[in-house]
Amino acid sequence: MLHFDCDYMRGCHPEIMERLVRTNMEQTPGYGYDKYTERAKEAILHACGLANGEGDVVLLSGGTQTNATVIDLVAGRYEGVISVETGHINVHEAGAVEASGHKVITLPEHDGKMLAEDLDRYMTSFFADDTWRHIARPGMVYITFPTEVGTIYSLAELEALAGICRKWELPLYIDGARLAYGLAASPDVTLRDIARIADIFYIGGTKCGTLFGEAVVTRHPEWFSNILTHIKAHGALLAKGRLLGIQFSALFENSLYERIGQTGVDTALALKNGMTQMGVRLFMDSPTNQQFFILPNETIDSLRREASFELWGPRGERETPVRFVTDWGTRMEDVERLLALVSTF
Amino acid sequence: MLHFDCDYMRGCHPEIMERLVRTNMEQTPGYGYDKYTERAKEAILHACGLANGEGDVVLLSGGTQTNATVIDLVAGRYEGVISVETGHINVHEAGAVEASGHKVITLPEHDGKMLAEDLDRYMTSFFADDTWRHIARPGMVYITFPTEVGTIYSLAELEALAGICRKWELPLYIDGARLAYGLAASPDVTLRDIARIADIFYIGGTKCGTLFGEAVVTRHPEWFSNILTHIKAHGALLAKGRLLGIQFSALFENSLYERIGQTGVDTALALKNGMTQMGVRLFMDSPTNQQFFILPNETIDSLRREASFELWGPRGERETPVRFVTDWGTRMEDVERLLALVSTF
Amino acid sequence: MLHFDCDYMRGCHPEIMERLVRTNMEQTPGYGYDKYTERAKEAILHACGLANGEGDVVLLSGGTQTNATVIDLVAGRYEGVISVETGHINVHEAGAVEASGHKVITLPEHDGKMLAEDLDRYMTSFFADDTWRHIARPGMVYITFPTEVGTIYSLAELEALAGICRKWELPLYIDGARLAYGLAASPDVTLRDIARIADIFYIGGTKCGTLFGEAVVTRHPEWFSNILTHIKAHGALLAKGRLLGIQFSALFENSLYERIGQTGVDTALALKNGMTQMGVRLFMDSPTNQQFFILPNETIDSLRREASFELWGPRGERETPVRFVTDWGTRMEDVERLLALVSTF
Amino acid sequence: MLHFDCDYMRGCHPEIMERLVRTNMEQTPGYGYDKYTERAKEAILHACGLANGEGDVVLLSGGTQTNATVIDLVAGRYEGVISVETGHINVHEAGAVEASGHKVITLPEHDGKMLAEDLDRYMTSFFADDTWRHIARPGMVYITFPTEVGTIYSLAELEALAGICRKWELPLYIDGARLAYGLAASPDVTLRDIARIADIFYIGGTKCGTLFGEAVVTRHPEWFSNILTHIKAHGALLAKGRLLGIQFSALFENSLYERIGQTGVDTALALKNGMTQMGVRLFMDSPTNQQFFILPNETIDSLRREASFELWGPRGERETPVRFVTDWGTRMEDVERLLALVSTF
């Protein structure tokens, strides 16, 4: 069976597991006060081009947890967070953002992305109508890089969006659950750009090589002055915080994060090329590790006996969109076997 | 100056004020344990056609407060509430529903209303997709009668919607902020129908004759077993609860609630007729106390010197939708003066 | 029947009711954008000795609502509020403060009051223990004036407490539900002192003459920059905000607030003197409108046939503490009738 | 350096790490839908003496997260949780329980434990006072086994407490963060007793051998009908849920959980015996893996150069209470080295 369901089906990258095993019997302080966490933070700040004091990093365990915790940190008590309709926080987080009191305010999506002009128009009309005091106040902007449908913002799009955010004094938060794949696919956006453009963002580990873990980076270190208490109040403080430190210090040494991103993207593009060469239509033109095709229902039924993947929406009458996801552990031979299977139907 | 901005610009109906004055120096227990509250509850249950034990009533002060408190009572901790996009809880309540932890899940609106088939389709596709456990679970349905744009559901529409709610085990909650006007305008829906069809609903006082106050009615009295504690935890328990009891007992005696609704609707329809006879176009065809027209911008500018009303959306290039609201205190002569003004432009 | 149960058993002071009646049919904008609210704010700032721009005022409806809304405004997301164990927010508010996410951190009480040294000791030991990041962070201090047992802080005690608050950068919030009676009873504390010493406080209306209403005053006007949205998100924004404005402008004209306080205190002290002269023991020596005595159970049983009042704690074997409350509407003859009754048992 | 600071300073038990390594490159579904989680649940139910359908299990990552999630599941929206003052949720969880809206209601502690009669007295007086509707309603009872100070309830004490819980219809929740050590130390309480007596409880992994993870067990499986959505709304759903399944299935095979508990307790008792034989006084007589002594300040200062441990409270003038914690990885030779060090001062 070939698995292309999602990018969190395996454990962690072997180079990370090796470190977890090597350090397993050491005794260190809890809650992130260990040397590995310290080392991970330094490596991340360095990779982000942030000098000491220019930024800060904190490590959490999972994506929904990170989104809820960060949004509740940045948005004021009566403030909502602006997202496109298809944003992860609006769709697949079980109301976790609302559970800590913040409305998700939605804008239309364009290939999964938020347009700077849509944001500007929303804010202009928000304050134009004098009933704004009765409406959940927009307190920050949330985007994902890459988006839910695998697309990525160009550097110009990011800069434009950040400009509108500054205009309206809205902190920009970038959810980087699949950041490694987005950076590997981008012709112009680097990690340093993300760190410069976002007020706060996270570098996803769970989908990019670790067992679990997301590194939240901000260039407003004052926001983190009581961050451990805030994290703990969200039930998000890991007792053995070093597990996050060990994993992220491995990710940010020896270019592991870049290699992981590259592997995911290379295998995804091989899949995309192979499929389009066979005449399969794209449902969405994604440059990252999620690939979306439209397949005849019979092909889907046959293929599912030997490969697992997700339907992307309800089954159509004759054909249905599907999603295939690669990751750091996908091998070219897996892609070739998948393509060979498709070609037989 | 003529005021048609909204239906909460005056104090209360004189018959209510008279009772508040008459009882002012009496001493009664607080928090709704007084005889007036008891009398109001009985009158309301009677008007709703609910025998003792078949239903229960509790009195709160304001609409947003009532919505947040009821939704937090009925929806489970991880459940959201389904509303049309233009629903009051989604637009004009400053995120109060989310502030107590519940996502507002939106469906498209049709003249302000929710269609039974839209609800059914949403629920079907919700459970069809096996990622539903990751999505805020729909825990109840919220509609308003009349809607934000003054329209009303027919009895058949309400029954159809309630049928789908039962199918999916979703309690139906009806926000009756302007219920008096809705019932007065409806050819077939009565208060008893509302009480029979809704699992829980409220009879609005603030916009229908009282200084403040909304009466929440349910045919699931077990839901109210600890209702005072729940209300107090929401900061919504009025110390001098009798103020609500006195006002609502006045509303439900001598057909005051019906008379209030009738006055609002009669004056609104007189306005609508007069306007359309002058060739003014309707923006929305409303049978209740909110009337929506499209006026040329010059007419608006001139009219605003002598009458106040709301623009309904951003100012257009040449013309703009506007809203005029009548209430229990609007006199036919006010409408005539307004029509006369419009006719001069 | 004589009622001494509490100070919210009547409607409002006749001078206030007169204004509500007089303005009843006027039409004004909602939500506090009316001239009466403006006038009330100005009168309150003036009475507090705060020039325009030095402070701000907002009007809410009830005490629990006000406490939850203010605490959620001032305390950060992960911060708690320090109160004595017997503080109203810790005991009689149904968990409303916790319902918006804030822990109530308790200190011991001394005749209902918080000692400056207790607060200093708590904060010192809080930060001395390096586990403080794992503990709800103290974000503000809450006291009541007068306390739950009718006692009042001296000016020196208030200054000392405020000094410790400044030392630890904890905003001081004073709950003035019964402030009128506290000020009337105090030999040295004035409203201006309260406004100077507290970072934020409220002037209680519900127990001091109005139908409902509490005026929140702060000398940090920047805290109120989006206060209406915050209030609405708490379900605490009154549609007909002018009702609060009318009542508070009446309270702060013609010395009504002072007169109300004086009446409550004068009748309470007459009761206290009469009782002690008959040899009744005090349970608590209160100078304000709540009086606490220890009565034999037989006296209680007999008296209850003609007067209502509260037991203060569980019934003892032979005698039980009781509370009698006066207010702006209590007459000296009521006190005399009560004393006459007691003297017969 | 010898470390006795706490029981979460190492990674995981080697038998668990071995399984994580072995399964690392397998691909399984996320969120707990994998075979390892299934196996772990079955093993746990079996160990608890619960047949299929009689109970249910769900796996979370950390203790504070588990407490907040379980309490928010079991307690109603306006209900608080009863705990002793020194309970972990009241002291060391940064207000996480209050952050999801529930007041922690405190009772006095007796060697860290809650007495059945204290609970009964509290509930009796709660309902005796007719102001109870204004007070946060007790919705469940929280205890820890072992307690914060290492003590354990006898079977009779647990049964008595559970009886009072049933009398007042309060679900009993047992926090078993250190359950392995508590069971190993108990002369009469077994895991089956815990599962029979508690309505819901958790089997701690983080402090008892795993990298992270707590298994929540209930004998009310209907409470878990939508548990994944609830967990996700709390940000507590692990993407690679199998990590929990793998660890807990290892813990509950080959008596690993028992062996871990035994090692912790054996080394702790060796330490206690050694210390008391040297004349060191106990601060608390604990039978589990936390040991509390009173040491002269000079001894503490000297010892700290070669061993780490916690002061238990503020430093005294001449002597100070200290805590030493053992765990599954503590060796007898570590204890002997520590005792040798102490003997030299």
Side-chain angles (χ1 to χ4, degrees), chain D residues 131-271:
Chain D
T131 62
W132 64 266
R133 283 185 185 82
H134 299 271
I135 305 177
R137 188 182 176 85
M140 61 190 294
V141 170
Y142 164 95
I143 62 169
T144 56
F145 186 94
T147 71
E148 293 299 296
V149 288
T151 54
I152 51 175
Y153 292 81
S154 70
L155 185 56
E157 287 171 332
L158 280 184
E159 299 273 23
L161 197 60
I164 301 299
C165 287
R166 276 192 303 275
K167 171 180 171 185
W168 295 101
E169 298 184 5
L170 293 169
L172 176 62
Y173 169 44
I174 301 181
D175 175 336
R178 294 187 169 102
L179 187 60
Y181 308 115
L183 293 176
S186 173
D188 56 2
V189 178
T190 67
L191 181 55
R192 292 184 170 220
D193 292 321
I194 297 284
R196 175 177 51 81
I197 289 170
D199 292 273
I200 189 165
F201 72 103
Y202 82 83
I203 300 171
T206 302
K207 293 172 175 166
C208 303
T210 63
L211 291 174
F212 55 88
E214 325 294 327
V216 183
V217 184
T218 185
R219 51 185 171 80
H220 303 285
E222 70 279 10
W223 289 359
F224 283 3
S225 58
N226 292 302
I227 192 68
L228 285 200
T229 307
H230 179 73
I231 289 174
K232 186 145 189 163
H234 270 268
L237 188 62
L238 194 67
K240 300 179 183 175
R242 79 187 201 190
L243 298 173
L244 296 164
I246 292 164
Q247 295 185 87
F248 272 97
S249 64
L251 268 191
F252 280 84
E253 287 168 25
N254 306 317
S255 306
L256 180 55
Y257 202 64
E258 286 82 351
R259 283 184 281 136
I260 280 171
Q262 203 61 55
T263 302
V265 167
D266 286 349
T267 49
L269 295 186
L271 176 61

Side-chain angles (χ1 to χ4, degrees), chain B residues 200-219:
Chain B
I200 188 165
F201 72 102
Y202 81 83
I203 299 171
T206 302
K207 291 172 177 167
C208 303
T210 63
L211 290 175
F212 55 88
E214 326 293 328
V216 183
V217 184
T218 185
R219 51 184 171 79

